């Protein structure tokens, strides 16, 4: 009887480690024919099939919508809404916490917007719609620091709103409608 418990544990540990090994191998395959972990199928062969390019475009739109939605949700929830409520003003209750959260949200939104523009490159129509917005997104780079330090004003908040609205309308015109999705606090920090 004492022997079955260690054997069962050994079997579970072996099964879990095999699962981790298989999943890590599957996730680590980049699809490049020159890579050491590649399967030997060239990237051009997989891209040649019509279903592969259609799937790539569909995933590009899906990823764009997800990333842009997270950026829009974070911007509205932790930057625009507290600013309009007066939480960023000196002497306001909870100001320090709101500013820290706004700084995190600003960095998070900038990161997700950059990811969304990269995702848009996978779809020709979406790429054309988003291309003119890259300068506006780049202008938000230092905004997180301004928010965190309490130096952001009406124009800065308006810039964030403008970029988010532009991304939403570009997505909608390309058939990828963006809905606000508020990220969790843990997503903001990590």
């Amino acid at each position: 009887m004492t022997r079955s418990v260690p054997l069962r544990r050994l079997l579970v540990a072996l099964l879990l480690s095999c699962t981790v090994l298989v999943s890590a191998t599957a996730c680590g395959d980049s699809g490049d024919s020159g890579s050491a972990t590649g399967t030997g199928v060239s990237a051009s062969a997989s891209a040649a099939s019509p279903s592969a390019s259609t799937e790539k475009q569909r995933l590009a739109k899906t990823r764009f919508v997800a990333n842009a939605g997270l950026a829009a949700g974070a911007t509205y929830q932790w930057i625009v809404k507290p600013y309009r409520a007066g939480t960023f003003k000196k002497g306001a209750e909870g100001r320090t916490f709101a500013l820290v959260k706004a700084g995190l949200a600003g960095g998070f939104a900038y990161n997700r917007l950059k990811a969304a523009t990269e995702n848009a490159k996978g779809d020709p129509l979406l790429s054309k719609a988003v291309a003119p917005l890259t300068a506006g997104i780049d202008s938000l780079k230092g905004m997180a620091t301004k928010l965190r330090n309490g130096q952001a004003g009406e124009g800065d908040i308006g810039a964030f709103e403008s970029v988010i609205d532009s991304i939403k309308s570009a997505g909608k015109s390309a058939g990828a409608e963006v809905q606000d999705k508020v990220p969790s606090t843990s997503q903001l920090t990590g």
Side-chain angles (χ1 to χ4, degrees):
M1 189 94 170
T2 60
R3 194 158 185 240
S4 66
V5 173
L7 183 61
R8 198 173 337 158
R9 286 182 183 164
L10 179 64
L11 185 60
V12 169
L14 180 64
L15 186 61
L16 285 173
S17 58
C18 287
T19 304
V20 168
L21 180 64
V22 168
S23 65
T25 303
C27 292
D29 185 18
S30 66
D32 294 339
S33 59
S35 69
T37 60
T39 60
V41 177
S42 70
S44 61
S46 66
S49 72
S51 63
S53 64
T54 304
E55 184 70 15
K56 184 178 177 183
Q57 287 179 4
R58 186 177 66 77
L59 289 176
K61 279 186 175 181
T62 303
R63 289 179 179 148
F64 169 82
V65 168
N67 283 319
L70 285 169
T75 299
Y76 180 72
Q77 183 69 28
W78 289 302
I79 298 172
V80 174
K81 205 163 111 178
Y83 181 80
R84 288 189 180 149
T87 311
F88 294 166
K89 292 181 181 175
K90 289 187 181 190
E93 188 173 326
R95 178 178 188 254
T96 304
F97 185 66
L99 289 174
V100 169
K101 227 170 185 181
L104 289 172
F108 177 82
Y110 173 76
N111 180 290
R112 294 299 84 208
L113 288 171
K114 291 298 275 185
T117 57
E118 284 298 313
N119 298 141
K121 291 178 182 176
D123 182 73
L125 185 60
L126 193 55
S127 179
K128 286 179 187 174
V130 173
L133 305 175
T134 55
I137 293 169
D138 289 339
S139 72
L140 301 176
K141 188 173 187 170
M143 195 68 69
T145 306
K146 284 178 96 173
L147 286 165
R148 196 176 9 256
N149 293 334
Q151 299 168 343
E154 181 69 37
D156 298 320
I157 304 301
F160 247 113
E161 278 186 297
S162 174
V163 169
I164 295 294
D165 290 342
S166 299
I167 285 286
K168 284 181 166 182
S169 65
K172 189 173 185 175
S173 71
E177 192 165 347
V178 176
Q179 300 291 326
D180 290 7
K181 179 166 178 22
V182 178
S184 66
T185 306
S186 62
Q187 284 177 306
L188 289 180
T189 58

